Each structure stands twice: as structure tokens, then as C-alpha cells.
Amino acid sequence: MDLLIKNATVVTGDGTMVMKQASVWVDKGLIQGVEQGTDKVPAEAVVAKTIDARGFYVIPGTINNHAHGCALGPLFPSGTNPLSLDRALRNADRFMLQGTTTLVNVCGLHTVADVEEVNSRHPMNIKAGTGHVPSNIRAAQIVDGAGLKGEHLSTTPEAMLEAGAVLIGEMAGGPTLGGGVQDYMLLPNAFLAETGVEVDAPLAKGIKVAAIGRYMRPEEYRVENMEAALRKAGLEGKVSPERARDIIYEIALPPVTSALQGFDEASEVSARTGVPAVFHNSAVSAQRLIALGKKYQGTPAVLVAGHSNHNMFDIEECVKVAREMRDLGVVIDVSTLDGVVTLWRNFPERLEALVSEGLVDTLSTDYGAGHWDGVLECIHFLVKRGRCSLPQGVAMATGNVAKIFHRAAPNRGFLAPGKVADIVIADDKNIGRVEAVIIGGRVVANCSWLTYAS
């Protein structure tokens, strides 16, 4: 036997089971047994390594179905210039040390080879999504597209799935639907060029909302609202309300029609292939996604409403939209973003509301401009706030994800005999404090004072 983990509090990933003083044993990369009791190993077995996990949780490695920044090739659904290999690997390290063992990079317009450049150099299992439908590519070219090369423009979702992509998406995103990337990158850059003044993300968002509202409608512009937003941003007298409005119109509005058309094209691919499609769900796109949920209800299509706690929703709307989508069979995903610990642009109220109402299927991180909070940190927060039980929280990041995204994490997501031994050991007072990560039965990160014996 390669590995015995004993004296652990085991959370299996099925949403209900917690086992105190339990043992997990591993051989040849697979879980051979999970049993109540400290040393339940076949008498004839010779154990190569033992971990005494007294005082720790043992859970399945988390499966992050919606993340960015762990691949080369075009970044985000805007097709922005790629990150460096060093930055992508550092991102992957951070995800892994937060307890992620499988991650899907959903920038969407890279190739499988772009993802494999990082995956081949890292212990974590990093997979590709595909957003290569014509309208999604067109939206990227409208807003940016600087990272798009011939191979990114010529491939198709079908070709990507055949090459190893595991889901469709992310369809559209902050750059093409007026969301976070507009707030923290595109609009601040534009106002800096226009005025020489740096504007942070919340202030840029305030200017954007003054120009087009939460639903990106030009008719919502009011000069008095823009004047107030410019004063708050320190731009009064440096740019006129009309020019500020026009900057928003020029940057945020042009890609929206194409981005939403891409939703239709991706849903058709999902219905034809049965592969889940992940969509940017926000106040701008929710009604299009609801319409597609109605159209494809009862078909093989699997539609996933990504980051359904998006900050363009108000709390009541967020819950109402998620409930309507859930009734249509749409999968409700929420993301940590930077909204649990970091609290830069995002805050936890929508997340808490959705989990409290039992409306959440899966929990991911997204990217949060590189400031994302860890999934296990989020689970600790939700449990301590009484929004869900620990087994329910763990399942949202493990077993639930494995059941919905079959291609992403085959034979993973649960601590059960025969499953791949992707395992996380974490502090039993705070599951967000990851102490060790095991992938395929191999210890790839040991962050603690865990006692080893051989």
C-alpha cells in the first residue's frame, strides 16, 4: 500500500457524509478504502508512507470549473495578449495551494496546446474550455483580440473537444458584456489616457453605471449622475460628462450584441454534443440565458450560469434570476472572485443569499483580476455564517462538479474506493487552511507539520 492517512475527519464529497477518526488508504494512484477507524488496512498490506491527520480534515481535491490565468494563448473572452509562462505557473501554484487539484481554464479562445504548455509543467490537472463560436470571436475582436492568432481563429468547438477541451466556454465575459474587466482594466486605461488620472475599478464602474446603467442601456444616461460619478472619481473638470459618456459608449457597448449572439451558438453546440456550456451570467445577459434555458429544456444541452453572484445584480434580482434558471434546469455556479476575504470589488452578500436559498450547484473562483479568494476559504466562510453545512459546501466544489462536468474530472470528486486519489488535508478549525495536497496519490504540496511515518 502506497499511502495510509489515519486519524482524519473525512468529508467524502457526497454532500452528507462526515467520518470522524477515519482512515483513507491509497495504492497506485487510486483510493483503496475509506473506513471509520484508524488503521483499517488489510493485514497483509505493507504501507510505504503513513500520514497522521489527527486534527485535520481530509477531503477530495477541489475541482475548479471556472478559472482563468493558468494557460498561454489569448487571455479572457476578449482574446487579450497572453500571460507569461512564469505568471501562469505562479497562478497555478496559488490555485493548488488553495486546494485545487483539477482546474478548467475558461478564457475560451486559447487552444488545447496553449493550456498543455502550463499543464505539462505543473502537478495540477489543468484543462481547456472552448468558446470558438463565430460571434464570440467577433466580440473579442471588437473589444481587443490582440492575442488571437491563426490557430485561435480557425478552430471550432468540435475540433477543440476532440483535441481534449472539456467544456464550452466561458461564453462572453467582463470585457465583452460590460463586467469586471471593463471596470478594472479597459475603462481605467481609457480614462488614464484621456485625463492622466488613475481611476480604480469601483470608481470606473460608477462612471460606467452613470452612462449606461446596470443593464447597459444608453437611454439610462443622466448628466447629473455622470457629474456626481466624475466628482467622486476626481475627474471633475478633467473630462466633460458628455466625453465620459462617449468613452463608455465607445468601449463597453460595441461587443455586446455579438457576445450575446455567441450564447445562442454555444447552446446549440451543447445541445448537439451534451457537453456543458459555461456562460457569463450578469444583469446584462441573464434574460438571454433564461430564454435559452426555456428553449433547450429537456434536451441534452447543459447550460451553466457562471458566477451567478455577479456584482451587476442586486441581491433580490440575483436570487430571483437564479431560481428561474434553476427551475429550467440551468446549473447555478457561484464564484469566490475577491468577495470573501480580499473584498476589493466584490462582496459576499449575493453569494450568501444564493447559498442560503439552496440555489447553488457548483462553486468556482473565476479570476478576480488575479485577486481571487480560495474555494475552501469561501466554504469556511459560508459554514461559519450558517449558510450551509460543511458537507454541502465541500460537495459544491468536489462531487457536484464531478457529476456535472464529466470530462473535466473523470473518476474524481469523491473519497471512495476506486476514485483517483486527489486529496486535500486541511485544518479542522478552518478548512481554508490547506496543509497538504495529494494528486494521483502523490504528495505534491506539504504546507504543514503533518506527521509522516514510513
Side-chain angles (χ1 to χ4, degrees), residues 4 94 134 150 163 178 188 190 206 248 257 287 318 369 378 384 435 451:
L4 168 65
R94 187 164 148 224
I248 303 297
T257 299
Q287 292 308 311
C318 175
C378 183
K384 290 301 180 184
E435 305 290 349
T451 303

Side-chain angles (χ1 to χ4, degrees), residues 47 71 82 98 161 165 181 183 185 287 295 324 351 415 452:
V47 179
Q98 291 172 329
L161 292 170
V181 179
D183 299 344
M185 184 169 70
Q287 292 308 311
K295 178 177 180 178
E324 187 171 357
L351 171 70
L415 297 184
Y452 288 84

Side-chain angles (χ1 to χ4, degrees), residues 338-353:
D338 56 288
V340 181
V341 178
T342 305
L343 305 176
W344 168 49
R345 291 182 53 254
N346 294 282
F347 298 90
E349 291 84 359
R350 297 167 192 81
L351 171 70
E352 290 187 78

Side-chain angles (χ1 to χ4, degrees), residues 182-208 229-236 238-239 244 247-248 344-345:
Q182 289 279 353
D183 299 344
Y184 69 71
M185 184 169 70
L186 301 181
L187 294 177
N189 288 348
F191 283 111
L192 180 62
E194 183 78 16
T195 68
V197 176
E198 292 187 359
V199 178
D200 70 12
L203 294 173
K205 180 183 177 184
I207 298 170
K208 179 187 73 180
L230 293 175
R231 277 196 301 274
K232 189 172 181 180
L235 295 180
E236 187 176 29
K238 299 182 184 299
V239 61
I247 288 171
I248 303 297
W344 168 49
R345 291 182 53 254

Side-chain angles (χ1 to χ4, degrees), residues 131-364:
H132 298 84
V133 297
S135 294
N136 206 40
I137 292 171
R138 187 160 54 249
Q141 291 171 317
I142 290 169
V143 76
D144 188 342
L148 294 171
K149 309 301 180 189
E151 64 269 24
H152 309 121
L153 298 169
S154 62
T155 192
T156 65
E158 291 82 358
M160 284 285 290
L161 292 170
E162 186 175 344
V166 298
L167 58 78
I168 301 158
E170 178 186 11
M171 299 310 304
T176 57
L177 282 177
V181 179
Q182 289 279 353
D183 299 344
Y184 69 71
M185 184 169 70
L186 301 181
L187 294 177
N189 288 348
F191 283 111
L192 180 62
E194 183 78 16
T195 68
V197 176
E198 292 187 359
V199 178
D200 70 12
L203 294 173
K205 180 183 177 184
I207 298 170
K208 179 187 73 180
V209 171
I212 53 180
R214 290 192 299 116
Y215 300 98
M216 301 192 69
R217 297 168 180 159
E219 62 269 23
E220 294 193 23
Y221 172 73
R222 299 289 183 275
V223 66
E224 59 273 21
N225 294 343
M226 181 59 77
E227 288 171 344
L230 293 175
R231 277 196 301 274
K232 189 172 181 180
L235 295 180
E236 187 176 29
K238 299 182 184 299
V239 61
S240 71
E242 293 75 19
R243 176 60 185 147
R245 175 202 63 195
D246 290 346
I247 288 171
I248 303 297
Y249 287 2
E250 291 162 9
I251 294 175
L253 288 178
V256 172
T257 299
S258 288
L260 291 176
Q261 181 60 39
F263 277 36
D264 297 9
E265 295 164 5
S267 298
E268 190 277 327
V269 176
S270 180
R272 186 157 30 82
T273 63
V275 175
V278 175
F279 298 88
H280 178 96
N281 183 25
S282 71
V284 178
S285 58
Q287 292 308 311
R288 177 65 65 98
L289 191 48
I290 287 170
L292 291 167
K294 293 175 181 176
K295 178 177 180 178
Y296 288 100
Q297 190 175 25
T299 75
V302 181
L303 310 184
V304 181
H307 48 56
S308 292
N309 54 318
H310 195 279
N311 66 15
M312 287 177 75
F313 290 120
D314 64 34
I315 296 175
E316 183 179 350
E317 176 187 31
C318 175
V319 172
K320 179 178 180 293
V321 162
R323 183 170 286 116
E324 187 171 357
M325 289 182 180
R326 197 92 168 306
D327 289 344
L328 295 169
V330 175
V331 175
I332 304 300
D333 175 71
V334 292
S335 293
T336 64
L337 299 160
D338 56 288
V340 181
V341 178
T342 305
L343 305 176
W344 168 49
R345 291 182 53 254
N346 294 282
F347 298 90
E349 291 84 359
R350 297 167 192 81
L351 171 70
E352 290 187 78
L354 290 170
V355 174
S356 296
E357 293 290 326
L359 293 171
V360 174
D361 297 301
T362 60
L363 172 60
S364 62

